[in-house]
């Protein structure tokens, strides 16, 4: 699952920013030194496809033992490649080969489309004014300061800093202080750099921190750029010297998605299920998201490449999710109008085995009235399918807002009904949730989130068993019928709505 710090990457070929609502999360760069081994990856035996596809039958076939076999294979893959499966690394490439190889052997039509983008990694930021610390946040794609600080007199820029004439001669070898508004942050920063500034402090136009702001990956300035609140703006402006240190770098990444499709069923009414295959750089990502990838993979293998169902089923394993939903965004962006209409719905599975987890499904009808609104028409039916599955097992469900932190985001933006389940990330479990699901109140759902500790040893197998069955149950439900009380708009309705 993506964090706020990585919500705005840009696919290199298009230079268009991914802009979905931010979640919460922190950058964790520390961790033990990683060794590289060459231990072979154990591929679990692949079970035969179910003879007759039914929701309960496919759910029963997707067993914990088989799902954990894939999780262990992902862990071995990470162990063999420096402890990570992040996009652009050998660990992710090996994960792609593992998934694609099993699906090809099972007879699926498989592609592994390649794409590129710029990954921005930021660490600590320190801004001081006359020695006093100021709360500052680096703008995405800012330059770093190379392990040292830049120091200079703060010089207030005229107007909003959008024109060269706004920058007085005193800006040279100083830190430009510019107010937010009118033109882009990148325009302000490039103009300040041309005027000779050694750094830029952007003052927000309201009394709150500047979070989630970006310069964009193209034609970036070579000086550090940070943002502060309007309340802190006067402290900086009135100081005699500011010092700025930024730990940040931008790296070009090339990686792949895996897309596999059955060979039977209607091609104009496709059921799609997906999970991101990449981890963060800092760890192997067994819960986030080896768990979802393993459950979707095993569901595909037990469904089989030629099931006797009326609908084509497509499985996706996304790259670049942790850097801003890049793989899924690139995929949806590449669909033409007919291909978008042909996707009946998208099911997303991200973090199914949090150690202190709960049971959440996306709030398709926005009945909770929190955060983002309802999903596209039909998302409410997907929510009901999951609600019934868990209710039948005596498990209460909690609502999960469509906050844009996972790969359903691009599908919702394209008007495709979406849903899925999850077990929680870095948010802390409430007392009421602990009473409902067990676990420890006041602790994160996943205390190992985005860290080297997200290993196979910390996977919640009890949750994974239930949630993997839910993945299979939902896929089979919609492979058999996309209409009905919990269905989605028919192809013709989708076509009329778009046209």
């Amino acid at each position: 699952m993506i964090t706020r710090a990585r919500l705005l990457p840009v696919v290199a070929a298009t230079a268009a920013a991914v802009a979905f609502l931010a979640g919460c999360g922190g950058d964790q760069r520390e961790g033990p030194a990683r060794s590289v081994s060459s231990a072979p990856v154990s591929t679990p035996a692949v079970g035969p496809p179910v003879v007759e596809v039914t929701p309960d039958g496919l759910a029963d076939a997707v067993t914990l033992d088989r799902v954990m076999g894939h999780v262990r294979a992902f862990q071995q893959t990470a162990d063999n490649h420096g402890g990570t499966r992040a996009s652009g690394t050998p660990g992710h490439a090996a994960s792609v080969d593992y998934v694609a190889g099993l699906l090809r052997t099972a007879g699926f039509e498989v592609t592994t489309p390649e794409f590129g983008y710029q990954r921005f990694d930021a660490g600590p930021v320190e801004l001081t004014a006359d020695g006093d610390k100021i709360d500052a946040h680096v703008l995405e794609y800012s330059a770093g300061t190379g392990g040292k600080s830049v120091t200079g007199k703060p010089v207030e820029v005229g107007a909003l800093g959008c024109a060269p004439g706004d920058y007085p001669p005193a800006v040279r070898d100083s830190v430009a202080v510019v107010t937010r508004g009118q033109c882009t942050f990148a325009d302000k920063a490039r103009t300040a750099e041309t005027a000779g500034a050694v750094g830029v402090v952007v003052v927000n136009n309201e009394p709150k921190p500047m979070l989630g702001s970006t310069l964009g990956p193209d034609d970036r300035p070579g000086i550090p750029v940070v943002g502060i609140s309007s309340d802190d703006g006067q402290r900086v402006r009135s100081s005699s010297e500011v010092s700025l240190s930024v730990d940040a770098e931008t790296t070009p990444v090339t990686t792949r998605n895996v897309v596999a499709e059955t060979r039977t069923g209607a091609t104009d009414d496709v059921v799609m299920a997906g999970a991101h295959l990449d981890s963060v750089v800092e760890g192997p990502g067994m819960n986030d998201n080896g768990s979802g990838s393993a459950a979707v993979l095993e569901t595909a293998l037990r469904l089989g490449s030629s099931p006797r169902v009326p609908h084509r089923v497509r499985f996706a394993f996304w790259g670049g999710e942790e850097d801003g939903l890049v793989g899924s965004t690139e995929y949806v962006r590449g669909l033409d109008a007919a291909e978008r209409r042909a996707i009946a719905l998208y099911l997303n599975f991200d973090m199914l085995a949090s150690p202190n987890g709960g049971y959440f499904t996306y709030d398709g009808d926005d009945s909770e009235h929190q955060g983002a609104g309802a999903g596209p028409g039909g998302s409410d039916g997907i929510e009901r399918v999951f609600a019934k599955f868990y209710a039948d097992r005596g498990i209460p469900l909690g609502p999960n807002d469509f906050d844009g932190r996972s790969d359903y985001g691009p599908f919702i933006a394209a008007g495709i009904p979406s849903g899925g389940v999850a077990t929680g990330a870095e948010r802390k479990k409430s007392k009421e949730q602990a009473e409902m699901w067990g676990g420890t109140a006041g602790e994160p759902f996943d205390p190992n989130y985005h860290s080297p500790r997200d290993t196979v040893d910390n996977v919640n197998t009890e949750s994974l068993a239930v949630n993997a069955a839910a993945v299979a149950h939902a896929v089979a439900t919609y492979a058999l019928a996309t209409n009905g009380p919990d269905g989605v708009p028919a192809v013709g309705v989708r076509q009329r709505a778009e046209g």
Side-chain angles (χ1 to χ4, degrees), residues 410-499:
F411 290 87
I412 286 178
I416 296 169
S418 299
V421 295
T423 53
E426 81 288 354
R427 251 188 331 116
K428 292 182 178 179
K429 178 176 281 188
S430 69
K431 179 181 177 182
E432 293 75 18
Q433 289 168 331
E435 291 172 350
M436 186 163 54
W437 295 313
T440 306
E443 294 295 324
F445 290 106
D446 186 353
N448 311 307
Y449 178 64
H450 282 192
S451 83
R453 301 181 304 277
D454 186 7
T455 66
V456 66
D457 294 332
N458 290 320
V459 164
N460 184 333
T461 55
E462 181 179 351
S463 293
L464 183 56
V466 175
N467 291 324
V471 173
H473 187 277
V475 167
T477 296
Y478 285 113
L480 290 166
T482 58
N483 54 11
D486 296 325
V488 296
V491 177
V493 175
R494 297 200 297 273
Q495 186 167 359
R496 290 195 297 274
E498 185 171 312

Side-chain angles (χ1 to χ4, degrees), residues 275-301:
H276 74 86
L277 189 54
D278 61 321
S279 72
V280 292
V281 173
E282 292 80 2
M286 290 302 101
N287 180 37
D288 185 16
N289 183 38
S291 62
S293 295
V296 173
L297 175 58
E298 186 61 20
T299 295
L301 295 173

Side-chain angles (χ1 to χ4, degrees), residues 18-277:
V18 180
F20 296 109
L21 296 174
C24 297
D27 186 271
Q28 300 184 44
R29 300 163 73 88
E30 75 279 6
R34 301 185 181 102
S35 61
V36 178
S37 69
S38 57
V41 173
S42 299
T43 302
V46 176
V50 295
V51 176
E52 180 183 1
V53 177
T54 66
D56 288 342
L58 190 59
D60 290 343
V62 177
T63 64
L64 177 62
D65 284 348
R66 293 185 183 276
V67 173
M68 282 300 297
H70 301 307
V71 175
R72 285 189 288 272
F74 292 142
Q75 180 70 63
Q76 285 182 290
T77 299
D79 292 344
N80 287 351
H81 297 94
T84 185
R85 298 183 306 108
S87 285
T89 69
H92 183 261
S95 297
V96 167
D97 292 342
Y98 172 83
V99 170
L102 285 176
L103 291 167
R104 285 193 178 107
T105 299
F108 284 84
E109 296 180 358
V110 180
T111 60
T112 59
E114 185 177 275
F115 57 95
Y117 62 98
Q118 300 287 329
R119 171 188 287 145
F120 177 75
D121 291 304
V125 176
E126 186 169 301
L127 175 67
T128 62
D130 290 339
D132 294 333
K133 290 192 69 172
I134 304 293
D135 184 26
H137 298 269
V138 65
L139 272 67
E140 190 166 23
Y141 297 110
S142 166
T145 57
K148 55 188 178 181
S149 298
V150 295
T151 302
K153 178 181 174 60
V155 175
E156 185 168 6
V157 173
L160 291 174
C162 295
D166 295 339
Y167 293 79
V171 165
R172 182 164 297 278
D173 298 324
S174 300
V175 176
V177 182
V178 59
T179 303
R180 181 178 191 170
Q182 188 172 331
C183 60
T184 67
F185 298 123
D187 286 342
K188 296 175 191 285
R190 285 192 296 267
T191 307
E193 183 180 30
T194 300
V198 298
V200 177
V201 176
V202 181
V203 181
N204 205 355
N205 46 21
E206 52 186 332
K208 65 180 184 180
M210 278 181 52
L211 301 173
S213 299
T214 184
L215 298 170
D218 296 324
D219 196 18
R220 300 184 302 275
I223 57 176
V225 184
V226 299
I228 62 175
S229 71
S230 59
D231 288 344
D232 287 328
Q234 188 53 42
R235 294 173 61 193
V236 170
R237 293 185 180 104
S238 62
S239 65
S240 59
E241 183 179 84
V242 296
S243 179
L244 175 60
S245 173
V246 174
D247 180 6
E249 63 178 353
T250 300
T251 307
V253 172
T254 300
T255 192
R256 293 177 291 166
N257 290 328
V258 179
V259 181
E261 189 164 306
T262 57
R263 297 177 181 273
T264 54
T267 59
D268 64 347
D269 208 17
V270 177
V271 174
M272 193 163 182
H276 74 86
L277 189 54

